[in-house]
Amino acid sequence: MDYKTLAQETAQEILGYNQDTSGWKVVKTSKKITVSSKASKRFHGNLYRVEGIIPESTTKLSEFLYKPENRVTWDKSLKVYNMVHKIDSDTFICHTITQSFAMGSISPRDFIDLVYFKHCEGNMDIISSNSVDFPAYPPSSNYIRGYNHACGYICSPLKENPAHSKLVMFVQTEMKGKLSPSIIEATMPSNLISFILNAKDGIKAHRIPSGHGSHPNGHSS
């Protein structure tokens, strides 16, 4: 499989979602974070759009969201987030295992995703991910293998305060298994808001060097 071409196509798809203003319906707003949704063209489910402001520069925010070693330190929805194959400095395949959520009614899932980082004009960054088949990590009987259709973040400087960033996230996750769509629709908006709040807390903690072997300056990739 040509992973690099797929990665670039996914980033374009995310950019397209960002430019498409029609048909979104706001489904939840909390703590200055807005979740909207519309029917996905990829599967029988929703495409979610989540928007919030993060008090951090776009460069630092993108690096924070993109680097696997950061992710598991703040994302409370994940048990495991491992890079399993590096394609180049901007593209890798990762294996994630989620926690159960909706008070245990949604059991843990695992995903194999192709993650890609693209820097665009105007200091805008796209971090896209899309589930792929990766023969070294076939589905196991321990977890239901979920599928992420084109998902991603768009980080850009806030016009009125470029030291802060606007974060827009797109999610269209096919949970697989025998879940009723109503359970997913009832729990997804709150989970997405929690995700942004966790990212905000995580990047704040990341800024303050602690004694836990954190790297406040990040590594250059």
Side-chain angles (χ1 to χ4, degrees):
M1 181 188 277
D2 184 352
Y3 289 123
K4 188 71 189 188
T5 301
L6 177 62
Q8 290 165 339
E9 286 168 357
T10 305
Q12 275 309 116
E13 195 170 329
I14 296 302
L15 194 55
Y17 294 153
N18 193 47
Q19 291 161 345
D20 172 17
T21 53
S22 64
W24 296 100
K25 186 176 108 208
V26 174
V27 288
K28 194 170 177 72
T29 310
S30 173
K31 299 186 178 173
K32 299 185 179 171
I33 300 164
T34 306
V35 182
S36 316
S37 75
K38 63 163 136 184
S40 167
K41 293 187 170 116
R42 293 276 180 187
F43 76 116
H44 291 299
N46 286 336
L47 166 63
Y48 290 93
R49 175 186 182 120
V50 194
E51 296 179 61
I53 306 299
I54 309 278
E56 185 55 275
S57 73
T58 298
T59 309
K60 285 187 179 156
L61 174 62
S62 299
E63 183 177 84
F64 180 75
L65 292 171
Y66 171 65
K67 297 218 162 160
E69 66 266 27
N70 292 333
R71 181 71 180 266
V72 92
T73 62
W74 60 268
D75 187 348
K76 294 176 182 155
S77 68
L78 294 183
K79 281 187 196 178
V80 171
Y81 186 96
N82 286 332
M83 186 195 300
V84 294
H85 179 61
K86 187 169 182 175
I87 293 155
D88 59 27
S89 61
D90 300 323
T91 322
F92 60 86
I93 291 173
C94 71
H95 179 228
T96 54
I97 302 173
T98 63
Q99 307 280 7
S100 66
F101 54 100
M103 295 188 296
S105 59
I106 300 179
S107 62
R109 297 291 193 268
D110 83 329
F111 296 87
I112 294 285
D113 290 322
L114 173 66
V115 180
Y116 173 58
F117 176 86
K118 180 182 165 96
H119 186 67
C120 307
E121 279 175 41
N123 204 20
M124 180 175 81
D125 293 329
I126 303 173
I127 302 162
S128 63
S129 70
N130 201 101
S131 288
V132 289
D133 286 328
F134 186 58
Y137 273 75
S140 80
S141 55
N142 301 338
Y143 299 101
I144 293 170
R145 172 68 53 92
Y147 192 94
N148 284 314
H149 298 269
C151 295
Y153 313 104
I154 293 195
C155 308
S156 55
L158 197 60
K159 284 192 178 71
E160 52 273 30
N161 182 358
H164 289 191
S165 301
K166 181 178 181 185
L167 177 62
V168 185
M169 180 167 80
F170 296 95
V171 176
Q172 46 186 343
T173 299
E174 198 168 348
M175 292 289 184
K176 305 288 192 179
K178 297 184 175 67
L179 282 175
S180 86
S182 59
I183 289 186
I184 296 166
E185 283 168 30
T187 54
M188 199 66 150
S190 301
N191 287 342
L192 293 170
I193 285 172
S194 298
F195 178 89
I196 301 277
L197 293 173
N198 287 340
K200 259 182 154 166
D201 290 345
I203 199 160
K204 205 190 302 178
H206 190 70
R207 240 183 273 142
I208 304 160
S210 64
H212 298 297
S214 64
H215 300 277
N217 305 321
H219 302 291
S220 57
S221 54

